[in-house]
Each structure stands twice: as C-alpha cells, then as structure tokens.
Amino acid sequence: MVQSETISETTVDQVSNLKHWIYDYLLDLGVTESSAAYLNMLVLLIGLIIVIGIIDVIIRRILIGAFTQFAKRSKTNFDDLLISNKVPRNIAHIIPLLIALEFVPDVFADFYNFEILIEKGLKVFAIVLTLWIARSLLNTIKDFLKTLPRFRDKPIDSYIQVFMIFAWFGGIMSAIAIITNIPFLKFLTGMGAISAVIILVFKDTILGFVASIQVSINDMVRIGDWITFEKYGADGDVIEINLATVKVQNWDKTITTIPTYALISDSFKNWRGMMDADGRRIKRALNIKQDSIKCLTDADVERLKKIQLIAPYLDKRQSDIEKYNTTNNADKTLLLNGRNLTNVGVFRKYVQTYIEKHSGINKDMTIMVRQLAPTSEGLPIEIYAFSSDKRWVNYEYIMADIFDHVLSAVPYFDLEIFELPTSHVIVPKN
C-alpha cells in the first residue's frame, strides 16, 4: 500500500514538473504569462486526452481478448453473451476515467473554474458509465435466462426495464445533485414536493409495472401464447412482454401493441389451455329446415338401412319400437301414433357414429351431436368434438372434411339445409 502511494506521488510530481517545464519554456520564448498559462493548459489537455485514449484502447483490447479466449474454452454461453452485450468494452472505460479524474487538477491548476466544470462532467460520465455497465450486465442475464426452458416464456424484459427506470432516475438525480452542488439526500428530500407530478408523468410505467407483476404471478400470459383481444384487434401469438406493452403477431403477420395493464383491466382470451389439452374443439352447427322434418315410415327405415353406419342401430330401434307399439296397441294407421323414428333423429345418430369413427377426432374427449333451440333460421344440429391434431391448418382440414360429408348426407334423410331466400327462389308477383 505504501509502495503504491509512493508510485502515485512520484507520477503526480513528474506531471507537475512537466507542467512547469512547459510553462517556463513558453515564457523563455517570450510568450506572455497569460498566453503561456493557456497554452500550457491546452498542451497538457491534449497530452492527457491522447494518453487516456491510448490506455483505453489497450485495456479494451486486453479485456475483450481475455473474455474471448475464456469464452472459447467455456462450455456455457454466458461469457459469449457478455461480449455481445459489450460488458468488457464498458468496463474498460473505468481505468481511463480514474486517470482523468486524477490528473485533471494538474491540467487545470491555473484555471479553477475549468477544473470544477471538467470534474463535474467526469463525475456525471462516471454515473452514466455505471448505468451502461449495469444495463449490459442485465441484458446479458436476460439473454441467458431466455435460453433456459423454464424462463423462456417469462416477462423478464419487464423486470429489467423497471430496474433500469429506477437506476436511470437515481442516476439523473445524482447528476443534478453533482451539477448543482446540492447533497444528494437533501436534493432527494426536495423532490418529495413534486412527487405528485412524477407519479403523473410515470403513470403508465407504474401501471405497467404492477400489471407485469400480476401477469407473471398469475401466469396469465406467456411469450408464445396465442391470445385473442377483440378490443385491440389482436389475434395471434405473443412475441414480447415488456413494462409498457405486449406485442402480438397476428395471423396476417401484422403486429398489434397492447398496453400491459390492459391484460388485467380488460377481458381477453388465452388459447393456451387448448394448446396444452389433447385436442382442439370443433363446435359448429348446421341449420335444418323445420318443414323437412318428419316421422319415418317402414319403407323409409328400410331404405335408410342401406346406410351401413346406422343399419345396426335401425334394426335395434325398429325392433324396440314395434315391441312398444304392439304392447300399447298403438294405432299405426296414423303414423304419428305410438313411438316413431324421425329423419332428423336418425340423421343425428348417423352424424354421431360418423364422427366417432373419424380418424381425425380424439376418441377420449367429448363427442356429441345435439339439437339447439329452434330459431327463425331452422333447427341447429351442432357437432361438438375435439380434433386430435391441434395445428391450425390440419384442424381446419379435419373440420371441413367432417362438414363436407355431413352436408352431402343431409338429402339422404329427406332433410333440407336452411338458406335465406335469394332472387333464384323468390317467385315475382304477376
């Protein structure tokens, strides 16, 4: 320690002797004292800048080279990320900055006001440099965590942005305190008077911060989730979650930006449950014209028995119905009496059997064909099932394949699909 102090004092003495030597040399050349002082200061300043520049380049190359060599031998990619985020480059500026702070008083010994101004500038730069280093380290940590499966879908950007906002706020306050020569604590106390203004200015940031924490804790949205947010016209995958916004890449490849706090203040749909499930739901109805619904005669039943999927069902149901009607002495001269099969009921059974045997349907999940309440547009027959393939293109293909077949099967049951009248079916009045 004593030896280090001795070396430092020797270096300062050498600079001091050099300073006086330049000043005396200028006086010997006949330069006035005032001009000699300015020229002396200018020469020393240029010399200091050159020395600091050379030292900065040397240290930067040494640090980057050392980090690069270490990264090549290391198995982890953390050190590679340190280099890509310029951590060694920013750290290399520390020593030149300390040298500048050490020798500025000697360079500006005859110009006290300049000395104070430059020292304040260097201290402010030290604050900025500290923030640069902190940001580089945090970005490195962020990039590294995103390579880990358990952190890949977490809103790490939000937390880093929050930390950097507070860091920059503290840095700006410190810089102002240095420039104004007001102690930091006293300056910070004075800031309490305008805290309401600060809260108003950073309202969105505060809301975003609170929202990002709630989103993360409640696991409402992850990066990669498919969400639908009708209010903002978003329908696609979440590609980024940060403090202020959530970016969604829609299926048409456009980007929708949503305020983070909207995720907790408004309603949206997250399709993650469907993606994590064993199937993707098919829920679609076709409308049957109600005046095409009828009871089936024996001839109709015999004709429908030619449809292989429902032939066993029709045999059993016909036998049960005949037994019931015989037991109850039903007068079958009128078709409505007793129990009967209907074309829409047989059609529902056919569709149910067809879907149960379809290769694209998950048989372990709910499969149902049901009637909904009749409307002015007919009787809805809804298919409710889950496709085994959740990929969008394949899902749409499976659903289309089912409805292609079902729609084409409707006429075989003497049923009709409801459609609104067009000019082709409306008969004009004479």
Side-chain angles (χ1 to χ4, degrees):
M1 183 69 180
V2 175
Q3 185 179 0
S4 176
E5 291 178 355
T6 303
I7 294 172
S8 178
E9 290 175 0
T10 302
T11 305
V12 171
D13 290 340
Q14 290 174 350
V15 173
S16 180
N17 293 333
L18 177 63
K19 176 187 68 175
H20 288 296
W21 179 81
I22 295 172
Y23 178 76
D24 295 337
Y25 178 74
L26 291 171
L27 289 177
D28 292 340
L29 292 176
V31 179
T32 62
E33 291 185 3
S34 176
S35 299
Y38 277 104
L39 289 172
N40 179 65
M41 181 267 290
L42 184 60
V43 171
L44 290 175
L45 179 60
I46 293 173
L48 181 61
I49 291 173
I50 293 172
V51 170
I52 289 174
I54 294 172
I55 293 174
D56 184 72
V57 171
I58 292 172
I59 294 175
R60 188 166 67 244
R61 289 184 177 180
I62 291 173
L63 278 178
I64 293 175
F67 269 83
T68 303
Q69 291 299 321
F70 182 77
K72 289 180 180 179
R73 298 174 184 175
S74 175
K75 295 181 180 180
T76 179
N77 65 338
F78 185 78
D79 32 32
D80 298 295
L81 295 172
L82 285 172
I83 297 172
S84 63
N85 284 294
K86 300 180 180 180
V87 174
R89 179 185 294 272
N90 291 332
I91 292 177
H93 297 314
I94 295 176
I95 294 178
L97 178 61
L98 294 175
I99 293 173
L101 286 169
E102 180 70 27
F103 289 103
V104 159
D106 292 302
V107 173
F108 297 97
D110 299 323
F111 302 91
Y112 179 73
N113 291 333
F114 283 170
E115 178 186 345
I116 297 300
L117 183 63
I118 297 300
E119 283 185 346
K120 286 182 178 180
L122 290 174
K123 289 178 181 178
V124 170
F125 178 72
I127 293 172
V128 174
L129 180 60
T130 303
L131 293 172
W132 283 352
I133 294 172
R135 183 183 62 184
S136 299
L137 287 171
L138 289 173
N139 285 336
T140 301
I141 294 171
K142 176 192 70 176
D143 294 340
F144 178 72
L145 290 178
K146 285 187 175 181
T147 62
L148 304 178
R150 64 180 295 192
F151 293 103
R152 193 171 296 160
D153 55 359
K154 298 296 184 293
I156 302 170
D157 292 345
S158 298
Y159 301 115
I160 291 178
Q161 286 178 350
V162 169
F163 181 85
M164 286 308 301
I165 285 173
F166 283 108
W168 276 105
F169 180 76
I172 292 172
M173 295 301 102
S174 300
I176 295 174
I178 290 171
I179 293 171
T180 57
N181 288 326
I182 300 175
F184 180 75
L185 292 178
K186 185 177 180 180
F187 181 81
L188 202 58
T189 304
M191 289 297 295
I194 59 171
S195 58
V197 177
I198 294 174
I199 291 174
L200 182 62
V201 171
F202 291 101
K203 181 189 72 172
D204 290 340
T205 301
I206 295 170
L207 288 173
F209 173 56
V210 174
S212 63
I213 292 176
Q214 291 186 341
V215 166
S216 178
I217 291 175
N218 297 325
D219 198 21
M220 297 169 64
V221 176
R222 302 175 189 167
I223 294 174
D225 281 355
W226 169 18
I227 69 170
T228 302
F229 210 141
E230 294 182 0
K231 180 177 178 180
Y232 293 92
D235 185 13
D237 293 334
V238 176
I239 59 174
E240 183 179 327
I241 303 175
N242 54 44
L243 186 62
T245 59
V246 175
K247 290 184 179 180
V248 178
Q249 185 173 50
N250 301 309
W251 302 123
D252 59 0
K253 300 306 179 183
T254 58
I255 304 293
T256 299
T257 301
I258 303 170
T260 305
Y261 59 80
L263 296 177
I264 60 174
S265 62
D266 296 313
S267 177
F268 69 97
K269 183 183 289 186
N270 191 330
W271 295 84
R272 189 199 314 156
M274 179 273 294
M275 300 302 292
D276 292 341
D278 294 328
R280 184 168 178 177
R281 189 182 69 174
I282 297 173
K283 184 176 181 290
R284 183 180 291 181
L286 48 86
N287 293 337
I288 301 296
K289 287 183 67 173
Q290 296 180 57
D291 59 3
S292 68
I293 298 174
K294 65 176 183 178
C295 293
L296 295 176
T297 64
D298 290 340
D300 292 329
V301 173
E302 292 301 321
R303 176 175 57 82
L304 291 175
K305 284 182 180 179
K306 295 179 180 179
I307 302 175
Q308 294 179 347
L309 282 180
I310 55 172
Y313 165 78
L314 290 174
D315 284 334
K316 184 177 185 307
R317 288 295 294 160
Q318 190 177 35
S319 174
D320 292 342
I321 289 172
E322 288 177 354
K323 188 180 298 183
Y324 175 86
N325 290 336
T326 301
T327 303
N328 291 275
N329 295 319
D331 182 7
K332 297 306 293 178
T333 57
L334 183 64
L335 189 59
L336 187 62
N337 291 331
R339 295 176 63 180
N340 297 279
L341 288 169
T342 63
N343 58 348
V344 72
V346 175
F347 174 70
R348 279 193 298 107
K349 181 61 180 178
Y350 171 78
V351 175
Q352 176 88 22
T353 306
Y354 173 76
I355 293 175
E356 288 173 351
K357 294 182 178 297
H358 196 284
S359 60
I361 296 298
N362 189 328
K363 311 304 187 298
D364 297 325
M365 302 184 75
T366 304
I367 299 176
M368 177 172 57
V369 179
R370 60 176 180 167
Q371 281 189 20
L372 301 181
T375 69
S376 59
E377 296 181 353
L379 176 67
I381 303 296
E382 184 183 77
I383 295 174
Y384 191 100
F386 291 83
S387 67
S388 54
D389 196 328
K390 295 175 287 185
R391 290 172 294 180
W392 188 16
V393 174
N394 295 349
Y395 163 79
E396 293 289 349
Y397 176 82
I398 292 170
M399 185 162 55
D401 182 65
I402 290 172
F403 276 86
D404 287 347
H405 181 86
V406 171
L407 287 168
S408 66
V410 169
Y412 289 88
F413 296 86
D414 296 331
L415 293 169
E416 295 181 40
I417 298 295
F418 176 86
E419 290 181 346
L420 291 173
T422 65
S423 59
H424 297 287
V425 297
I426 295 177
V427 180
K429 293 182 179 180
N430 294 329

